[in-house]
Amino acid sequence: GLSEEDKKEMVGFLKGNENAYNVLSDCIVSPIRSDDEEVDAMVPIKRSYRATKILEQDATTAAKVQQSGGTLQDIEDSDTLILNATRAGLLAKKLFRAYMYNQNRTVDNEDAAASLDVQTLPPHIPHVNHLLMSLLEGYASAVVAAACAGGKEGIESSFGPMLAYRSGTAKSTPTSSTTNGGSSAAHDDAGFTASLESPLPVLAAIVTTGCTGRLAPGAAAEQRASNPMMMQQQQLLQNDNTVHISKGHRRKFVRSLADWELLTRLADCIDHPGTDESAMYRSEAACDALLNIVDNIGFPPMPPPGVALDAKKKKEMEESFGEDQLLAPLATDEFIHHLTNCVTGGSLNNSTSA
C-alpha cells in the first residue's frame, strides 16, 4: 500500500542501515502478530513475503554480477545493497535455525504451545526455502561456510533441522485407510503442504554446490525429464554455473558431510520418514535429494566427444576434495539395508512410505 516515493524512501533507509538485513530476516524467521492484526492472519505472511523479496533482490544482483565476470567486492564497494558476503553468511545461519521451530511446538502438544509467546508465529517455511536458494546463487561461499562452521557439529546444527523438519500442520495419527493405501482429502492436503514446505531440495542444492563448486541444476525429477547427457554437456561448455568457493571451504564442507554420514541419514529418512500424514512425501523428497546428490557429485559433467579441455580446466575437474569418502556409504550393508527394507518389509515404523 506504499506509494512509489515512500517505497524508494524505505529502501534507501534499509540500504543505509547496517542492521537492516537482521530486521528483515526477523520478519521471516520470527514473525510477530500484534493485537490489531488478529483479524487478518495473512498480515505476518505478507510481511514475510516482502522481506524475502527485498533480500532476494540483493542475492539476485550479486549472482548476475558474478555471472558477468565481476566479483562481490565490486558491488560491496558501491554500497548499493543491504547484503554483503558476511551478512549473507549470518543470514544463512539464521535461516537454518528457522527449521527448528516445529521441533519445539507441534499442533498436538497443547501444553507446549501454551508455554510459548502466542504473538510469536512459526516462520513461513516456503519463504525460508526460497531465500536460502537465492542466497546460494548469489553468495554460495557464504552459505557453504555458514553450513559447515564448526565441522561436523556445524553440519548437524544446520542440516539436522532440515532433515528432521515436520510440517506444523501434519498430524501423527494416520487412519487405517491411509496406512493401507487409501487416500483422503486431508491426506492429500498434508502431502501438498509437505511438498511445498520440504527443505530437502534446498539441502540437496547446498550440498551439491558446496561439493562441486557449481550451482546445482533443478531437482532430480526435473533433470530426468530432460536429456541428462545433453544438459551436462551444455553446462560444461557454457561454464556459467561455476561459483567461487575456496578449495579450503570445499574440502572442509565435504569432510564435514562425510563425518556426519549424510547419505546414510538420507537413506534412514527414506526408510523412517515418520508416521504423520505427510510421511510418504517426506520419504520421496529424501529419495530425490539422495539421487540429486549422487548424480551431481558421483557423475560430474564430462566433455562431449571431440571437445578437448585445456590443461587447467582438466586439472580442476580431476581434483578430489574427498568426495569418495562422502559417497562411500553407498557400498555399505547398512545403506543397502535401508533401501531394500522399504521394498521387502515396508518401513520399520509402519509409516505410509512403504
Side-chain angles (χ1 to χ4, degrees):
L2 295 176
S3 66
E4 289 301 321
E5 185 177 345
D6 289 339
K7 288 180 183 178
K8 291 180 181 179
E9 182 179 351
M10 178 171 289
V11 172
F13 169 76
L14 290 172
K15 290 182 177 179
N17 187 341
E18 292 184 358
N19 198 42
Y21 83 95
N22 211 23
V23 175
L24 291 170
S25 63
D26 281 342
C27 294
I28 302 168
V29 303
S30 304
I32 300 295
R33 182 173 61 199
S34 60
D35 293 338
D36 59 346
E37 294 172 348
E38 291 286 347
V39 293
D40 188 356
M42 290 297 294
V43 169
I45 295 180
K46 292 176 181 178
R47 189 181 297 122
S48 170
Y49 173 78
R50 290 168 185 151
T52 299
K53 296 303 290 184
I54 292 173
L55 293 170
E56 179 198 7
Q57 287 177 357
D58 279 16
T60 301
T61 300
K64 289 180 178 178
V65 168
Q66 293 174 90
Q67 289 170 3
S68 62
T71 66
L72 290 177
Q73 194 63 44
D74 296 337
I75 51 177
E76 290 177 7
D77 289 342
S78 64
D79 196 26
T80 58
L81 301 182
I82 297 172
L83 291 177
N84 56 31
T86 301
R87 294 171 187 169
L90 295 173
L91 176 58
K93 287 186 176 182
K94 204 167 184 178
L95 294 174
F96 287 138
R97 291 197 297 270
Y99 297 106
M100 297 180 65
Y101 184 91
N102 284 327
Q103 293 182 18
N104 301 321
R105 182 178 188 270
T106 63
V107 294
D108 296 324
N109 193 336
E110 298 290 344
D111 294 335
S115 67
L116 296 175
D117 181 4
V118 294
Q119 297 300 320
T120 302
L121 305 175
H124 190 59
I125 294 300
H127 292 169
V128 177
N129 292 340
H130 183 78
L131 186 53
L132 260 178
M133 288 295 287
S134 298
L135 285 178
L136 184 64
E137 293 181 7
Y139 298 94
S141 184
V143 174
V144 169
C148 67
K152 176 183 176 182
E153 289 74 19
I155 292 292
E156 169 64 34
S157 62
S158 299
F159 290 164
M162 298 177 77
L163 202 58
Y165 177 76
R166 301 290 186 270
S167 172
T169 61
K171 303 283 187 179
S172 56
T173 55
T175 62
S176 58
S177 62
T178 300
T179 53
N180 291 329
S183 62
S184 65
H187 182 67
D188 291 341
D189 289 343
F192 175 77
T193 301
S195 62
L196 186 65
E197 290 190 355
S198 176
L200 294 181
V202 183
L203 183 151
I206 297 174
V207 168
T208 55
T209 300
C211 292
T212 65
R214 301 184 305 275
L215 283 177
E222 295 175 352
Q223 291 182 51
R224 290 191 288 273
S226 60
N227 186 323
M229 181 64 69
M230 182 178 296
M231 184 182 67
Q232 287 190 342
Q233 292 177 2
Q234 290 175 348
Q235 291 171 356
L236 186 69
L237 293 175
Q238 294 172 356
N239 196 30
D240 59 357
N241 63 341
T242 301
V243 293
H244 175 71
I245 303 176
S246 70
K247 293 182 178 181
H249 276 155
R250 284 179 61 186
R251 287 194 178 91
K252 179 180 179 181
F253 185 67
V254 174
R255 183 174 64 251
S256 300
L257 289 172
D259 292 343
W260 192 59
E261 299 179 329
L262 170 66
L263 298 189
T264 301
R265 290 173 184 267
L266 282 171
D268 183 67
C269 188
I270 297 172
D271 191 20
H272 299 79
T275 57
D276 56 80
E277 295 167 339
S278 60
M280 178 176 65
Y281 299 89
R282 189 177 305 112
S283 179
E284 290 178 355
C287 185
D288 268 346
L290 178 62
L291 290 174
N292 201 352
I293 291 170
V294 173
D295 283 349
N296 285 281
I297 299 177
F299 302 93
M302 300 299 293
V307 176
L309 297 177
D310 58 71
K312 181 180 179 181
K313 180 66 176 177
K314 185 177 180 181
K315 182 179 179 181
E316 290 176 353
M317 291 183 60
E318 294 177 348
E319 187 172 4
S320 173
F321 291 87
E323 297 90 340
D324 53 336
Q325 296 180 8
L326 176 60
L327 299 177
L330 294 173
T332 63
D333 291 341
E334 180 185 6
F335 183 89
I336 299 300
H337 172 73
H338 278 302
L339 302 186
T340 56
N341 185 72
C342 292
V343 178
T344 59
S347 179
L348 294 179
N349 62 0
N350 195 30
S351 80
T352 56
S353 68

